[in-house]
Amino acid sequence: RTGFDFFTDFLMHPAVVSFLSGAAYGSASVLTGQPFDVIKTRMQTVEVRTEGTARASSWRVGWQLLKSEGIPGLYRGAIPIAVGGSLFRSAQFGFYETSLSLFRQHLPQHKILFLDYQILLAGMIGGAGRSLVEVPFELIKVRRQIAASWAWRELYVGASATAVRNVCLFSSFAFYMNLVTYALGEHALSPFVFGAVSANLAWLTVWPLDVVKSQVQSGLTPTAPLTQRLHQLYRSGLLFRGLWPGLLRSSVANGCAMEVKMWVDRQLAVHNARQA
């Protein structure tokens, strides 16, 4: 074959395949998990402004929102995150797969049982790549979820908090995917269960950082360094505020999204094999 073929030479490039499958992951995640995410964000921000509402349960927060705004209220902030979700999750998986491929080619292999430093490094890079795209979409999403206004000059408010959370989150996600595969064997779990378990373990690891990120981007709390915010959350018992709706969102969204991502991966791989 001579000449350039768009599908074979571009769309089937490993880096492009990673970005496309990540985009499929992101779209499915937003569609299935948004109501839980709205409840989670409101618990972390609006519901902690006064002492009387600081302990409102996720069910109470969701029910009050449903009564006051109906179903549309549960999908507040869906548009910016639906647009941005495909982009930043495709960036996340694209940076991860590309950097891991480079590490496998050029760095020495060193493993202690399941612990693979190359996967952790690639996960950090994937999280950093996600942050480059995600911050403005996340800020708009958070402000829409709490019915607050935003300005163009604020689009990168919370950039450092988001970056720290994402680097820790996706490296943890990559670590737990590797751990689950090592412990149970490849394909021992369905894509849904595999995605849900790995994502929930990652979120449990970094949840206090997500609370900080939400509060910073909400604009409802005074400015303070990350360590001071974490200390304040610890003293007030709010380090894991919004955890249960967050884990429900993670289970449903990441389980469904992993099914979609793996289906896209398989379809692209089959077409690539036919073209070989």
Side-chain angles (χ1 to χ4, degrees):
R1 179 175 62 89
T2 60
F4 176 82
D5 181 81
F6 178 78
F7 194 96
T8 303
D9 297 328
F10 177 73
L11 289 182
M12 297 311 301
H13 188 279
V16 177
V17 170
S18 296
F19 277 94
L20 289 176
S21 60
Y25 188 105
S27 300
S29 177
V30 172
L31 181 65
T32 56
Q34 186 66 14
F36 301 114
D37 193 63
V38 174
I39 295 171
K40 182 267 296 184
T41 300
R42 293 181 72 90
M43 289 180 69
Q44 293 175 338
T45 56
V46 175
E47 300 297 328
V48 298
R49 285 184 298 177
T50 61
E51 187 65 28
T53 60
R55 303 297 176 181
S57 70
S58 57
W59 299 110
R60 177 183 170 189
V61 172
W63 178 243
Q64 289 176 339
L65 183 62
L66 187 62
K67 285 198 302 181
S68 62
E69 300 186 32
I71 296 296
L74 295 176
Y75 278 87
R76 275 188 165 275
I79 293 177
I81 210 64
V83 174
S86 297
L87 296 175
F88 65 70
R89 285 189 173 86
S90 64
Q92 169 180 274
F93 281 100
F95 275 92
Y96 171 75
E97 297 288 353
T98 302
S99 59
L100 184 60
S101 177
L102 291 172
F103 292 157
R104 294 298 195 222
Q105 294 174 37
H106 302 292
L107 293 181
Q109 296 285 331
H110 289 295
K111 284 186 180 181
I112 302 176
L113 296 178
F114 62 87
L115 186 58
D116 188 333
Y117 79 95
Q118 293 181 0
I119 285 178
L120 292 177
L121 287 177
M124 291 178 184
I125 293 172
R130 167 177 170 164
S131 301
L132 294 174
V133 183
E134 182 179 23
V135 176
F137 294 104
E138 271 289 301
L139 181 127
I140 298 172
K141 181 205 76 170
V142 168
R143 296 294 175 88
R144 289 287 300 135
Q145 287 178 334
I146 64 174
S149 61
W150 60 274
W152 291 102
R153 67 178 182 277
E154 298 178 302
L155 283 182
Y156 277 87
V157 167
S160 58
T162 303
V164 171
R165 184 205 67 172
N166 285 353
V167 168
C168 296
L169 176 63
F170 197 65
S171 59
S172 297
F173 182 59
F175 169 80
Y176 288 122
M177 285 196 298
N178 189 48
L179 173 60
V180 171
T181 301
Y182 175 84
L184 301 179
E186 194 170 0
H187 307 306
L189 301 176
S190 69
F192 184 97
V193 175
F194 180 68
V197 169
S198 301
N200 281 350
L201 289 171
W203 277 113
L204 280 168
T205 303
V206 305
W207 195 260
L209 296 175
D210 185 68
V211 180
V212 169
K213 184 216 69 92
S214 295
Q215 293 191 350
V216 171
Q217 291 189 318
S218 73
L220 299 178
T221 57
T223 302
L226 174 64
T227 53
Q228 184 177 331
R229 285 182 180 274
L230 288 171
H231 181 64
Q232 290 171 347
L233 289 171
Y234 172 75
R235 291 186 61 186
S236 59
L238 298 174
L239 272 178
F240 288 88
R241 181 67 174 162
L243 178 64
W244 292 116
L247 291 183
L248 281 172
R249 184 211 67 83
S250 174
S251 298
V252 174
N254 287 291
C256 292
M258 186 63 75
E259 289 276 3
V260 173
K261 178 183 182 296
M262 289 189 173
W263 180 84
V264 171
D265 285 344
R266 288 194 300 269
Q267 297 306 307
L268 290 172
V270 168
H271 191 281
N272 192 34
R274 289 174 179 170
Q275 294 295 317

